[in-house]
Amino acid sequence: NAGVTQTPKFQVLKTGQSMTLQCAQDMNHEYMSWYRQDPGMGLRLIHYSVGAGITDQGEVPNGYNVSRSTTEDFPLRLLSAAPSQTSVYFCASSYSGTSGALSYNEQFFGPGTRLTVL
Amino acid sequence: AQSVTQLDSHVSVSEGTPVLLRCNYSSSYSPSLFWYVQHPNKGLQLLLKYTSAATLVKGINGFEAEFKKSETSFHLTKPSAHMSDAAEYFCVVRALRAGGTSYGKLTFGQGTILTVHP
């Protein structure tokens, strides 16, 4: 298993440009999410998905779009990049778990994409 | 609502001495708790996770954490630090909604950078 993969590893954009960060997982996980990491702020949730065709906003969704057409892929789109979006982006996935008994499901993280917006 | 507070942004220890990284949480629902480690320019790796079976949780690389509900704490400890432990550590809470269905939203603490001196 490759686990969670992300491309590209590094990207430099100019203000106003658009791009898509790719994320894929081969573990058949229902749940996928995108985080951004900024110094001193930990990781903050941007968007998440509980399954194909279902997405929802996280803590910091503005400026980002997502879609989930397959279980495996969860791309993150920046429509018009801004310097405030300079960050390291992590994709994660996990098994969703079931209702009833508590579920403590580890999220598996990709290696990250380091994005700079000039 | 849920939140995590890591009480120290930096901790410095000598090799061979004990490590204590402190974490307090708040959650409206019964939480699951995790510690992740991130080495420089790397992704996040799970150290350990709390399950309801035991309040003292053992993880990889000699780390352990104790869940104390009365204190809403989940501190990470290791008896003897090694140079390879130098990294950033994140305490993470994942609240489970009433009924036990996990929606997977992780809330991260701000991170604690552990420095280990020879």
Side-chain angles (χ1 to χ4, degrees):
Chain A
N1 284 351
V4 181
T5 58
Q6 292 183 238
T7 56
K9 290 187 177 181
F10 301 93
Q11 183 70 49
V12 179
L13 294 177
K14 295 180 179 178
T15 297
Q17 287 185 315
S18 63
M19 78 159 296
T20 299
L21 307 185
Q22 300 292 343
C23 174
Q25 52 89 12
D26 60 358
M27 298 173 281
N28 203 31
H29 286 162
E30 301 95 334
Y31 184 89
M32 297 185 74
S33 54
W34 277 101
Y35 297 85
R36 60 177 290 172
Q37 183 179 27
D38 302 293
M41 303 185 74
L43 276 73
R44 292 179 293 168
L45 181 65
I46 303 172
H47 285 286
Y48 68 99
S49 169
V50 298
I54 306 169
T55 64
D56 204 350
Q57 295 181 351
E59 181 184 357
V60 288
N62 292 339
Y64 308 95
N65 278 356
V66 292
S67 60
R68 185 94 179 269
S69 57
T70 67
T71 299
E72 295 78 17
D73 300 299
F74 191 44
L76 178 72
R77 283 184 289 275
L78 284 70
L79 301 177
S80 178
S84 61
Q85 294 178 304
T86 294
S87 188
V88 181
Y89 291 85
F90 289 97
C91 179
S93 74
S94 74
Y95 174 57
S96 285
T98 58
S99 60
L102 295 175
S103 301
Y104 303 96
N105 300 311
E106 173 187 356
Q107 292 212 3
F108 293 84
F109 285 83
T113 294
R114 188 173 295 273
L115 175 68
T116 301
V117 183
L118 302 175
Chain B
Q2 57 194 37
S3 66
V4 179
T5 302
Q6 290 182 241
L7 298 171
D8 306 290
S9 58
H10 291 84
V11 170
S12 182
V13 301
S14 298
E15 190 174 21
T17 64
V19 175
L20 170 63
L21 305 183
R22 298 181 295 165
C23 172
N24 284 66
Y25 72 91
S26 68
S27 176
S28 302
Y29 303 99
S30 298
S32 56
L33 294 158
F34 306 82
W35 276 98
Y36 281 85
V37 60
Q38 184 180 30
H39 288 91
N41 299 314
K42 299 290 186 182
L44 284 86
Q45 180 185 19
L46 181 70
L47 274 180
L48 50 81
K49 61 182 181 181
Y50 165 69
T51 69
S52 58
T55 56
L56 184 61
V57 181
K58 294 186 183 300
I60 62 172
N61 301 334
F63 284 95
E64 61 182 38
E66 186 172 9
F67 174 71
K68 293 186 176 181
K69 187 175 181 179
S70 61
E71 299 177 9
T72 61
S73 69
F74 191 57
H75 301 334
L76 181 70
T77 61
K78 183 174 181 178
S80 176
H82 191 272
M83 295 296 291
S84 62
D85 294 329
E88 188 165 17
Y89 292 78
F90 293 96
C91 181
V92 182
V93 63
R94 181 180 191 178
L96 304 176
R97 296 188 180 199
T101 300
S102 170
Y103 287 85
K105 293 185 181 181
L106 299 183
T107 298
F108 282 75
Q110 299 88 338
T112 298
I113 296 173
L114 176 65
T115 302
V116 183
H117 299 286

